[in-house]
Amino acid sequence: MTARIGVVTFPGSLDDRDTQRAIRVAGAEPVALWHKDKDLKQVDAVVLCGGFSYGDYLRAGAIARFSPVMDTVIDQAKAGLPVLGICNGFQILTEAHLLPGGMLGNDHLHFICRDQKLRVENAGTAWTTDYTAGQEIHIPLKNMDGRYVADQRTLDELEAEGRVAFRYVDFNPNGSLNDIAGITNAAGNVVGLMPHPEHAVEPLIGTGRTDGLPFFTSILKKLVNA
């Protein structure tokens, strides 16, 4: 069986083709999904890619959350469909309340683009099993609204339940609370992070490393062994 992983394109998406390529490099079949369509074409998992959906008007991800495709994504994610949100995709997941908290503008008020060191905090999600807890990786980061925020009760729950998936190491690039770079839902099927693993799957591009590839091999193994 070849796993089929959908990649949703919204108006303003930038990294849909890169994400499709990363899926292909991992050995799965990428399936292009358009934001106006409710049909997910029977995919086994979905990635909401990076970019600036709808120009980030109102708030990053706030309009994309109401695209027709998201009705189906939300319903199926609640039923267990694996969903990964990268950068703008993470913002959309918080706006859709599939993940708690929200994203604000970087605390230094500038767009940032750099190679970022992360620590893997949770290697038990559908998207992180090919990592080990405590592993440090380097993933490209590029965002303007990357500051993760939540109320103290939510932060305490995330920490107590091990739902912080990734944390910034050595340098907090955007002022995210608790150095949070990515989180997971309680079931572990929905993961969001600000850095871009799809830009670190081949040694000749991105960081020059393949630290992002395990995102896509993790979900592939889960789907094939399901």
Side-chain angles (χ1 to χ4, degrees):
M1 181 192 81
T2 300
R4 303 173 75 248
I5 302 177
V7 179
V8 180
T9 298
F10 299 92
S13 293
L14 296 179
D15 301 300
D16 44 354
R17 297 297 181 89
D18 301 74
T19 304
Q20 291 174 27
R21 179 172 177 80
I23 291 167
R24 193 175 293 112
V25 169
E29 176 188 351
V31 178
L33 301 175
W34 183 236
H35 74 110
K36 285 189 176 182
D37 298 328
K38 289 192 174 184
D39 181 10
L40 297 186
K41 301 180 181 178
Q42 297 182 315
V43 297
D44 303 299
V46 167
V47 180
L48 305 180
C49 65
F52 300 90
S53 58
Y54 293 92
D56 281 351
Y57 289 111
L58 300 183
R59 267 187 325 275
I63 300 177
R65 174 262 177 273
F66 291 102
S67 288
V69 71
M70 287 304 298
D71 290 338
T72 311
V73 170
I74 291 169
D75 288 344
Q76 293 199 21
K78 290 178 179 179
L81 180 74
V83 178
L84 175 65
I86 302 171
C87 195
N88 189 224
F90 185 13
Q91 296 161 343
I92 295 169
L93 289 177
T94 62
E95 292 289 338
H97 304 297
L98 286 174
L99 291 175
M103 312 302 298
L104 296 179
N106 298 339
D107 59 353
H108 45 72
L109 304 181
H110 294 287
F111 182 85
I112 189 168
C113 182
R114 70 190 304 268
D115 292 343
Q116 177 67 46
K117 183 190 288 189
L118 307 176
R119 184 170 60 248
V120 180
E121 302 284 21
N122 186 332
T125 79
W127 299 90
T128 59
T129 54
D130 270 358
Y131 293 109
T132 57
Q135 181 179 351
E136 294 187 353
I137 60 177
H138 292 79
I139 302 289
L141 176 73
K142 51 176 186 174
N143 63 70
M144 181 69 189
D145 299 295
R147 178 161 51 113
Y148 180 78
V149 296
D151 59 63
Q152 192 60 51
R153 178 179 178 180
T154 299
L155 290 173
D156 291 344
E157 288 179 353
L158 290 173
E159 297 288 359
E161 296 173 8
R163 290 171 54 196
V164 175
F166 298 90
R167 216 181 295 270
Y168 298 116
V169 176
D170 294 341
F171 171 70
N172 185 326
N174 44 38
S176 290
L177 297 180
N178 292 22
D179 297 326
I180 291 173
I183 60 175
T184 179
N185 67 343
N189 64 303
V190 179
V191 172
L193 79 161
M194 287 310 297
H196 288 259
E198 77 279 13
H199 295 323
V201 298
E202 297 177 290
L204 293 180
I205 59 173
T207 59
R209 301 159 62 116
T210 59
D211 291 4
L213 188 58
F215 276 90
F216 306 100
T217 57
S218 293
I219 189 61
L220 177 58
K221 291 178 181 177
K222 176 179 177 58
L223 295 173
V224 170
N225 294 328

